[in-house]
Every structure is written in structure tokens, then in C-alpha cells.
Amino acid sequence: MIIEQPAIWLRWLYPRATWRMDKNERAVYLTFDDGPIPEATPFILDTLARFDIKATFFMVGDNVRKHPELFQRVMAAGHRIGNHTFHHLGGFRHSIKHYSADAELANELLHTDLFRPPHGWMRLDQYFWLGRKYRIVMWDLVTRDYSKWMTPEKVLDNVKRYTRNGSIITFHDSLKSIDKLHYALPEAIRWLKEQGYEFKVFPAPSDISNGE
């Protein structure tokens, strides 16, 4: 079972994916998977705005289709957007043709260079094919906010226990998570700030080419 931090064998399986950013930099990268949805996204956006933080939202294309106003709100707030396929597909269940087509369908709405596979895995042929176009972003810490066995306090404890320099921290923009995020997200941000972490988003290709 893949829990809070990815196993070494999983990092070996996808070696060119981004699992963690600079370990020498006191910074973290907040990410939110599966949205946007009206039951969760507005609270997350309001919380991030209250603390003046930018994050990366790995969005499901069909949710963007259903809630374009939320997509525009995320964009207008200056957050980074990532592709999480159109139908939240599990890679092992689908051919490379079907999986990549679903990702491209999502990107017709998202227009991003970032991709994160639903459930944190995909077949190697999908990984290599999509890696030609996208920066594949995995995670250094999954808060497990989606689990019915987790309390808000335990979600916060995961952040405190596993965060380190360069951590890519994954929350979920979903119905399964929002009841825990009402407490855990603002408290996690407060704690991270107290520990001296800066909040960053992944550089855009133009930033990299310009040396920023």
C-alpha cells in the first residue's frame, strides 16, 4: 500500500517524474487533486488567499467542463494548473491510446505542461509517452485526507511528520476530503509558516528557459 511517502521502488519505476523539489531549499509545493467542485474548491481558494499562498491544482477535465467558473476562479487567483486526465482514469485499466487521448481531451480545457496520474500510477508505456509532452509530477507527501479512517487531526499530523525541504504535498479537492480540510488545511499552513517554509509552485517552461 502506498501511504504518506512513496516507496523507493515506486520512485525507481518512474525515475524521470518529479517526486520532490530542491532538498536544500526551505520550500514546499502544495497540490490539490481531483477538482474543481463547488463543495470544496471555494473553501480551498479562500484559505489560500487568506494566507497569500499559491498552489497547483491537478484538475479532472470533466469537472472543469461541469464547473468552468471555478476553473476560471483558480486561474484568476494565479494558481498553477495540472492535468489529471478527463475522466480520472486508472492507467492500468486502459490502453496507452485511450489513456493518452483522455489526457489530451482534458488538456484542451487545461492548457498545461504538468501531468499527475490519478491514483499515483500508470503503465510504463503511458508514462514514457506522456512524459514526452508533460512534466509528470508525483508527490513527496500524501496527507491521506481522502481516507474515511483519517481524522482532521491525523491529516495535520501527517503534514507535521513527513514534510521536509522541497516536499510536494498532496491534498484533495474533493468531497471525501473537504470535511477534514476545514480544519487541517489552515492549521497545516500555519504550522508550515511557523517552521519557516516558503510556498512555491512549479516553474513554467518559459521561466525555466529564462533561467528563473
Side-chain angles (χ1 to χ4, degrees):
M1 179 178 178
I2 301 166
I3 51 175
E4 288 84 359
Q5 288 190 307
I8 292 175
W9 66 265
L10 192 59
R11 294 176 186 256
W12 287 344
L13 190 62
Y14 309 116
R16 288 186 291 175
T18 301
W19 294 93
R20 182 184 178 189
M21 298 298 279
D22 189 350
K23 65 181 180 180
N24 297 310
E25 188 174 30
R26 194 71 171 170
V28 294
Y29 295 71
L30 298 187
T31 67
F32 296 86
D33 289 3
D34 300 347
I37 61 169
E39 296 86 352
T41 308
F43 170 78
I44 294 170
L45 289 174
D46 290 344
T47 302
L48 295 173
R50 177 152 48 101
F51 289 97
D52 193 23
I53 288 171
K54 303 302 181 194
T56 303
F57 288 76
F58 287 91
M59 294 185 172
V60 173
D62 198 39
N63 284 339
V64 174
R65 179 190 65 80
K66 294 174 184 174
H67 311 293
E69 72 289 349
L70 287 178
F71 172 69
Q72 291 300 327
R73 184 177 168 187
V74 174
M75 291 286 290
H79 299 293
R80 197 80 155 84
I81 302 297
N83 187 330
H84 207 45
T85 74
F86 194 88
H87 293 104
H88 200 263
L89 295 187
F92 288 175
R93 297 182 177 182
H94 300 279
S95 69
I96 182 174
K97 181 178 180 180
H98 185 91
Y99 191 80
S100 60
D102 200 75
E104 289 308 296
L105 183 61
N107 218 45
E108 291 177 9
L109 300 174
L110 299 170
H111 306 291
T112 179
D113 64 303
L114 304 178
F115 181 83
R116 174 178 282 168
H119 313 296
W121 45 257
M122 56 183 155
R123 287 169 27 182
L124 287 178
D125 55 354
Q126 297 161 352
Y127 161 70
F128 286 117
W129 182 260
L130 290 172
R132 297 165 67 239
K133 177 175 181 177
Y134 298 95
R135 178 177 190 166
I136 296 174
V137 178
M138 296 298 203
W139 71 93
D140 187 56
L141 163 58
V142 173
T143 62
R144 296 182 66 204
D145 54 350
Y146 54 83
S147 173
K148 65 181 180 180
W149 306 112
M150 296 291 288
T151 65
E153 291 77 15
K154 287 183 178 179
V155 172
L156 176 60
D157 286 344
N158 280 340
V159 174
K160 292 181 176 181
R161 181 176 180 182
Y162 294 104
T163 297
R164 54 187 177 172
N165 286 1
S167 280
I168 299 170
I169 303 174
T170 299
F171 294 96
H172 289 79
D173 186 2
S174 70
L175 291 174
K176 292 180 179 179
S177 302
I178 189 58
D179 60 329
K180 305 173 193 74
L181 291 187
H182 281 130
Y183 169 80
L185 182 59
E187 290 301 315
I189 291 172
R190 289 189 185 97
W191 182 84
L192 290 164
K193 282 181 170 286
E194 289 169 359
Q195 304 307 305
Y197 286 104
E198 183 180 358
F199 295 83
K200 290 192 170 186
V201 296
F202 306 99
S206 59
D207 295 335
I208 297 172
S209 64
N210 291 332
E212 295 181 7

